[in-house]
């Protein structure tokens, strides 16, 4: 709706150290859930993909995109 706080913070494509610090700050100073869709596991994210090779990671991203597109 464009008002208020975000329901979920999704992060992809940033340097791993920057992502980890971002997730750590959000975990400690807010209650907003976080999702890392990087191919590397992020321990401080609320939800994260496990460590994946490129092929499996791309398949997971495709599945996620399909589910988001099909959500009403």
């Amino acid at each position: 709706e464009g008002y208020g706080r975000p329901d979920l913070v999704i992060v992809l494509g940033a340097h791993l150290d920057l992502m980890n610090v971002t997730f750590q700050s959000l975990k400690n100073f807010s209650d907003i859930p976080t999702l890392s869709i990087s191919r590397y596991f992020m321990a401080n994210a609320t939800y994260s993909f496990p460590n994946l090779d490129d092929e499996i990671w791309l398949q997971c991203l495709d599945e996620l995109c399909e589910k988001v597109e099909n959500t009403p």
Side-chain angles (χ1 to χ4, degrees):
E1 306 235 0
Y3 301 107
R5 299 175 11 175
D7 295 325
L8 176 69
V9 175
I10 301 174
V11 179
L12 169 70
H15 192 274
L16 295 177
D17 291 339
L18 177 61
M19 288 175 61
N20 195 39
V21 169
T22 300
F23 289 132
Q24 184 176 15
S25 296
L26 288 169
K27 179 173 109 177
N28 291 325
F29 299 109
S30 76
D31 58 354
I32 299 171
T34 55
L35 170 64
S36 171
I37 54 177
S38 170
R39 64 178 283 241
Y40 300 106
F41 177 72
M42 289 284 134
N44 288 314
T46 308
Y47 307 102
S48 176
F49 286 162
N51 291 331
L52 301 169
D53 64 28
D54 285 337
E55 185 178 319
I56 295 173
W57 177 61
L58 290 173
Q59 290 173 356
C60 291
L61 283 179
D62 287 339
E63 288 179 31
L64 180 65
C65 289
E66 287 175 12
K67 290 182 186 215
V68 169
E69 288 173 356
N70 295 330
T71 302

